Amino acid sequence: MCGIIGYVGDRKAKPILINGLLRLEYRGYDSAGIATMENSGIKCVKNKGRVAELENCEEINILEGTIGIGHTRWATHGKPSIENSHPHLDNKRTTAVVHNGIIENYVELRNFLTNNGYEFFSQTDTEVIPNLINYFYNKNEGKSKIDFLRAIKSTVEKLKGSFAIEILNNDFKDEMFVVRKDSPMVIGKGVNENYISSDIPAILSFTKDFYFLNDLEFAVLSKDNVEFYDINLERFDKQVKNIDWDMSSSEKGDYDDFMLKEIFEQPKSIRETIGARVSKNNMIQIDELEITKEYLQSVDRIYIVACGTAMNAGMTAKKILEHFCKIQTEIDIASEFRYRDPLITEKTLCIYISQSGETADTIAALKLAKEKGAKTIAISNVIGSSLVREADFALYTHAGPEIAVASTKAYTSQIVLLAILALYFAEILGCESEEIEKLKEEILSLPSKIEEIFDNTEQIRKFAKIISNEKDVFFIGRGIDYTVALEGSLKLKEISYIHSEAYSAGELKHGPIALIENGITIVGIMTDSNLVQKTISNLQEVVTRGAKTFIVTNQNLGNFNFDEVVKIPEISSYISPILSVVPLQLLAYYISKEKGLDVDKPRNLAKSVTVE
Ligand code: AGP
């Protein structure tokens, strides 16, 4: 949720930290702060609000140090304020800490420290960390680097919850200490300089070489070295990984907003996701998976587990998997799955979807399945993310960095990859091949069909203007179209703050139709020729009651009195969400713009939800 950044090198840390924080701001934007190591010791500047407010602080100009840490906050414990902003210092102001995650037992730790004479100045859970480090460090006889690491280790052993922590201490003026558990953090390796970040794009302009820290691994960064220590504080080596993301993919370029850029990138991101996995008249290639026919025949149930948009992609995938592979597939919200004691055996295959690969609930749900002996596959967009590292197998969507909080290109790439996965299983199982071949061809046609949809942008923008002052918008669809209705509704509420709900069209009469009144807007999605007449009937019922209608369809609807019909290219209904969602993404985008909102950073949200 929060963003963390760190720098050690020969250059002044401040501009690099600010640059990183601006790029990380989509992770949280309630307040921001940085601390640098100066000749006189740690100096810290923080402010409420966005990173720009921090830059405006006069005191920031005194920061000259070449080593520093920074943080942009998404408030959990304590309202957004200067006191609650990070970095937090211990009472002696010798240790500075920034933290991403949640310390669940902070009250108990606060009491322990208070009883030992420590004072607290914020409402945060984080403030216990620098004070505990200080407590343990003072108890140590020695004052060497390993003694300080011992103090960090003792602190970490007391913490319950999740954390990615960066630490500066006045006794180690050229070094920065880091440790993580269940919260993202990468180390960027430069030449005579090293970086920390909570994700790759924030430091991609400085380096493409990364180390990925596992849970409860410690690192000590100096300008020309990164040392790794395990939980016993034994040194070990780590392989550096080169990330070949194009820097321009994390820049806005000529677009006003990342979201619009990412919507228009979908032909490319889908092409990259398909890659060499699908080609006409050849078997699907997924080299990352080692799955046999015997194993698939033994699978009696697939669980797809995810949150938010990724869960909506999973709902579509359930239908594809069940149809092509004939394996019962269930879809679960990760935060429910992890606590509902799901029936998992060695015959269960669990697929986890997460753009960021850092969503706390999805990671916990994956760990649960592993404990119970199921095979796990992670689908993520971020190389080396925590989810990927936990799973038995990892498949990447290759959509490129997604910066806007509202997910667009990741969603379509997830469905593409899941459809490919379903066909891969179906081929291994020896299922009916004509339909498989046909869907492969349709998958390959997706990028050019999305390009065609962009021709409707102006039509969608005009309708967005008409309905931008609405209070409620309802989305309806049947079958696979219902899964898109859910995603369209989520997009709209996230970035326009208009209340919206999605209903399976057949459910309208069972209650929600009571909400329909003159002038209300209904968005109808109709791409399945078998169901289109049914949904038309449901739409007629709301039109009769005075609703405005925005329709997305690839069918010839005949002479019905709908207000706006966006025609999209024809495609198999199994993958139609990849096309039908595009007008809904654009609708949400233009409504948000019309209302003058910050599309990329909607209120109260953060890009990756790394806390429960
Ligand atoms: C998408 O628009 C949302 N911001 C959100 O629902 C998101 O999809 C969800 O938090 C899951 O994130 P993940 O894919 O990174 O796990």
Side-chain angles (χ1 to χ4, degrees), residues 306-311 353-359 362 405-408 414 487 490-491 494 605-609:
C307 302
T309 286
M311 213 263 309
I353 315 167
S354 172
Q355 187 284 130
S356 62
E358 301 296 349
T359 301
T362 312
V405 166
S407 182
T408 52
Q414 283 159 356
E487 176 57 11
L490 178 63
K491 274 314 68 99
E494 268 189 302
L605 294 174
K607 182 65 181 165
S608 48
V609 183

Side-chain angles (χ1 to χ4, degrees), residues 215-352:
D215 278 357
L216 296 176
E217 289 178 350
F218 302 80
V220 183
L221 285 78
S222 55
K223 70 173 187 169
D224 40 27
N225 202 11
V226 184
E227 294 172 359
F228 296 98
Y229 295 83
D230 66 15
I231 189 65
N232 300 314
L233 300 185
E234 301 286 343
R235 286 267 311 259
F236 69 96
D237 291 330
K238 215 176 234 302
Q239 284 279 313
V240 77
K241 286 207 172 109
N242 186 269
I243 302 294
D244 64 351
W245 279 352
D246 172 10
M247 183 50 206
S248 66
S249 55
S250 50
E251 304 276 356
K252 252 191 255 178
D254 291 336
Y255 289 90
D256 286 350
D257 306 277
F258 277 108
M259 183 178 175
L260 191 63
K261 175 177 181 251
E262 288 159 8
I263 291 172
F264 278 91
E265 270 174 356
Q266 288 177 109
K268 179 171 177 251
S269 55
I270 288 173
R271 216 171 276 125
E272 301 276 319
T273 300
I274 298 170
R277 288 164 171 154
V278 186
S279 56
K280 253 173 136 179
N281 301 323
N282 287 315
M283 300 276 283
I284 302 265
Q285 296 288 314
I286 303 188
D287 300 336
E288 304 89 318
L289 284 183
E290 285 160 32
I291 290 223
T292 61
K293 184 172 183 176
E294 291 67 43
Y295 168 72
L296 277 179
Q297 282 173 333
S298 76
V299 171
D300 61 4
R301 180 186 292 131
I302 297 176
Y303 280 120
I304 302 178
V305 184
C307 302
T309 286
M311 213 263 309
N312 293 340
M315 283 188 82
T316 307
K318 164 188 158 71
K319 296 189 187 287
I320 312 176
L321 278 158
E322 286 191 336
H323 178 78
F324 283 90
C325 310
K326 309 288 179 247
I327 304 175
Q328 185 194 339
T329 304
E330 288 184 28
I331 172 87
D332 251 281
I333 299 170
S335 53
E336 293 292 326
F337 184 82
R338 61 184 291 196
Y339 294 116
R340 78 166 175 83
D341 196 15
L343 293 172
I344 301 174
T345 68
E346 283 167 10
K347 292 181 174 177
T348 317
L349 171 62
C350 293
I351 301 174
Y352 296 84

Side-chain angles (χ1 to χ4, degrees), residues 524-544:
I525 304 116
M526 291 180 276
T527 65
D528 186 339
S529 56
N530 295 320
L531 298 172
V532 65
Q533 289 309 327
K534 307 265 174 217
T535 309
I536 286 179
S537 302
N538 300 128
L539 283 161
Q540 289 302 103
E541 288 153 11
V542 297
V543 169
T544 309

Side-chain angles (χ1 to χ4, degrees), residues 383-424:
I383 297 163
S385 59
S386 305
L387 188 79
V388 157
R389 278 178 286 146
E390 289 288 342
D392 295 316
F393 301 107
L395 300 180
Y396 290 110
T397 41
H398 301 304
E402 190 181 66
I403 308 291
V405 166
S407 182
T408 52
K409 63 176 181 172
Y411 169 78
T412 46
S413 280
Q414 283 159 356
I415 301 177
V416 169
L417 183 50
L418 285 154
I420 295 172
L421 183 67
L423 295 187
Y424 177 72

Side-chain angles (χ1 to χ4, degrees), residues 457-473 492 496 498 518-523 546-551 562-566 586-595:
T457 303
E458 194 47 29
Q459 178 195 7
I460 298 165
R461 201 184 58 75
K462 280 189 185 145
F463 191 75
K465 199 171 175 156
I466 296 170
I467 64 163
S468 61
N469 290 320
E470 295 286 304
K471 294 272 174 291
D472 308 280
V473 174
L492 185 68
S496 75
I498 293 177
N518 208 19
I520 209 158
T521 300
I522 304 280
V523 177
K548 278 199 288 298
T549 43
F550 179 86
I551 307 297
F562 298 126
D563 292 286
E564 204 65 59
V565 178
V566 177
L586 287 167
L587 184 69
Y589 173 81
Y590 284 114
I591 292 176
S592 178
K593 286 303 270 187
E594 193 58 38
K595 294 178 83 171

